[in-house]
Every structure is written in structure tokens, then in C-alpha cells.
Amino acid sequence: MKRGHNLYIKHAPIAAAARAERGVWRLAAVYPSPQSGQSAARRVGRAERVPSYEPAGAYEAYAAMHDDGTAVWVRYIAGAPAVEPRPSSMTYRVCDRGTSSGYQGVRVVTVTVAAECPRCGGPRGEAKPHRFHEDGDWYVVDRWSNACGHVEQYTDVLAEWRKAVAELEIADRRDAIRAMRAGPADAGEYTEAVLLLNAAAAQIKSLHARQAALFLDMRGHSEAARRVQEELKARDGRMSARQAALFLADLAATRAACTRCDNGRINYQCRDGEFISLRCKACRKETVPNA
Ligand SMILES: [Zn+2]
Ligand SMILES: [Zn+2]
């Protein structure tokens, strides 16, 4: 791949190939910097200065780390039915054989990692369960194959996950201090959900927000679970259960203080006399417009 300022990319054949296989991600180009890659990814979706991707909204793109820079991956999404949204993370069961050279046995660890291949930024493959027998026991782990062809080792995936957990824990500790300062949990309508999450997070170390959302849904807090999932997506899959609890508490406080809306909806009358009712973005309430 040519590097530097005079990066010349032939978008037309890439756009045509993507169009021929709707919903399938293709590597469009590798840019020298994250900024140029991210800007290109944004322009593909809007078909801005890249006419090959017209009309706007027909293609979707994202930028991700690549061995040689920042890759831009594109796919064609126009038409029905809607394509599956890109996952914010992947969850796999992997073998942990420890770090020493001798045989230590095997432990199955469930990890949540980026949705992209760390070598080229292409989408990681779906988990496929694999059962095996070792040292008198049966185990189930996941295997996956990446469409890009890069083969991943469990040790590398474990290292990626541990690094992400360590980063989360630093953020978590910061947030825990903030929560302590805020005093006893009063999270308005989410108080029960927040108490549940904090109790679960105290029990299970490094509990992820994805598991937290499943747990809330199971316990009947489905609206809170959906808000957590929404926020998890906005944070690119990086959120712990504790942070989810704080997010819900913040959301409840925002709702209580919101003066922009009427119980989660902004209602107004247009100049042509039509009544409009919009969902309040600050409250994020699930409400039906008044008939
Ligand atoms: Zn790859
Ligand atoms: Zn509001």
C-alpha cells in the first residue's frame, strides 16, 4: 500500500464489489493516519467527495487499526431487509493455559474483545462452540474464523482482554470514588436496577456492562437494560457493570431535572398547524406520542 500524502485509491471497483455482495464488509483502503482514515469512513457514508458510494446512505464504513495504518472497511447496505448492525464487541470462550512453560492444565475464560481483527480491522468471526477432552475432563470453548484470513491465538485474545479489563478497572476505580462521594444510592426510577448492578459487580470481578444488561433484563428491568445496551454501543463496548449503574443513576437525575420536555416527549405545533411529538434525547424515555 502506498503511503504519504498522495494516497490514491480507486474507489469505483471497491464500491462495485461491495454492491455485488450486499452486507459483506470489504477492505477499501489503508490510510497513513487515524484522522485520514476516520475522515474517509465518514465521507463514504455520506458519499461526500467519493461519488462511487452514491447515493448517500447506500454504503456504511468504519475505520479500524491495521498493521500498516488505519483501514477503512465498507459494505453496501441499501435495500431491504435491513442488514445486521455491526457488533460493538465479540464474546468468546477461550483456553487459558497459564504463562509458565510447563503444563498447568486448562481453564476456560469468557472474554469480551473488540469486534475487529487486530491485524487488519476486518470483522471478527462468529463464535462456534468446540468441545474437547483433556486430562479427564470435558471442556467447551469457542473457535472462530475471520473472513480476512488472519488466524488468532487464544493467548493473544486473552492478552487483549486483560489489557481492556485493566483499563476498565482504572476507569472503574475513578467512578467508584465518584459514586462514594455521591452518597447512598438514590437513582430515582432506576434505584432498584442500580442496587442490583452494584451488588452483582461486588460479587463478580470485572463484570461487563453487556452481562449487566442481560442480568437486568432477566430481573424484569428491561427498559434499564435497553438504556445500558444503547450506552454500551455509544461507548464502543467499553463499559463495566459499575459504570452502567452510574450511567443509570445519571440518566435518572437528568430525567428528573429535564425542563425541555413533557414526560419524555417534546410536543409542539408547526406553523402549518400540525402537531409534532419528538422523543426527548436527554430523557431517553420510551413513550408513545399522544394520539
Ligand atoms: Zn485480519
Ligand atoms: Zn426530557
Side-chain angles (χ1 to χ4, degrees), residues 26-217:
R26 278 179 179 275
L27 178 62
V30 180
Y31 291 81
S33 74
Q35 291 78 11
S36 52
Q38 279 151 14
S39 142
R42 268 194 305 274
R43 285 190 290 107
V44 166
R46 300 178 195 151
E48 190 184 308
R49 287 186 285 137
V50 274
S52 305
Y53 298 107
E54 277 172 0
Y59 290 82
E60 183 175 48
Y62 69 87
M65 280 205 314
H66 184 285
D67 282 349
D68 298 327
T70 299
V72 170
W73 287 75
V74 300
R75 68 174 177 177
Y76 183 68
I77 55 167
V83 297
E84 280 281 308
R86 188 163 72 95
S88 57
S89 60
M90 298 302 274
T91 298
Y92 300 122
R93 290 164 297 180
V94 302
C95 288
D96 182 4
R97 296 182 177 282
T99 46
S100 78
S101 53
Y103 181 74
Q104 289 182 291
V106 62
R107 201 163 66 96
V108 176
V109 180
T110 301
V111 301
T112 298
V113 289
E116 297 82 34
C117 164
R119 301 283 313 279
C120 71
R124 270 180 162 148
E126 285 292 323
K128 294 211 172 60
H130 168 67
R131 204 162 168 260
F132 68 97
H133 187 259
E134 186 174 307
D135 214 16
D137 280 312
W138 283 97
Y139 299 91
V140 181
V141 290
D142 291 315
R143 284 178 166 180
W144 63 98
S145 74
N146 299 337
C148 59
H150 288 126
V151 177
E152 304 199 66
Q153 303 294 329
Y154 284 148
T155 47
D156 295 336
V157 177
L158 269 169
E160 180 186 329
W161 173 68
R162 290 203 170 110
K163 190 169 165 250
V165 167
E167 281 163 8
L168 256 182
E169 276 168 359
I170 292 167
D172 219 25
R173 264 199 295 277
R174 244 192 347 249
D175 288 345
I177 291 165
R178 209 182 106 210
M180 241 144 64
R181 284 204 191 113
D186 175 20
E189 62 202 283
Y190 292 131
T191 299
E192 206 190 317
V194 167
L195 288 173
L196 274 173
L197 283 192
N198 283 335
Q203 291 284 316
I204 306 162
K205 201 168 172 272
S206 313
L207 188 68
H208 195 266
R210 177 177 306 279
Q211 279 122 24
L214 287 173
F215 176 66
L216 284 178
D217 200 36

Side-chain angles (χ1 to χ4, degrees), residues 254-255 258-262 264-266 280-284:
T254 307
R255 273 185 187 173
C258 191
T259 52
R260 298 176 52 221
C261 70
D262 174 16
R265 298 212 68 95
I266 299 168
C280 176
K281 288 209 174 84
C283 293
R284 300 202 208 171

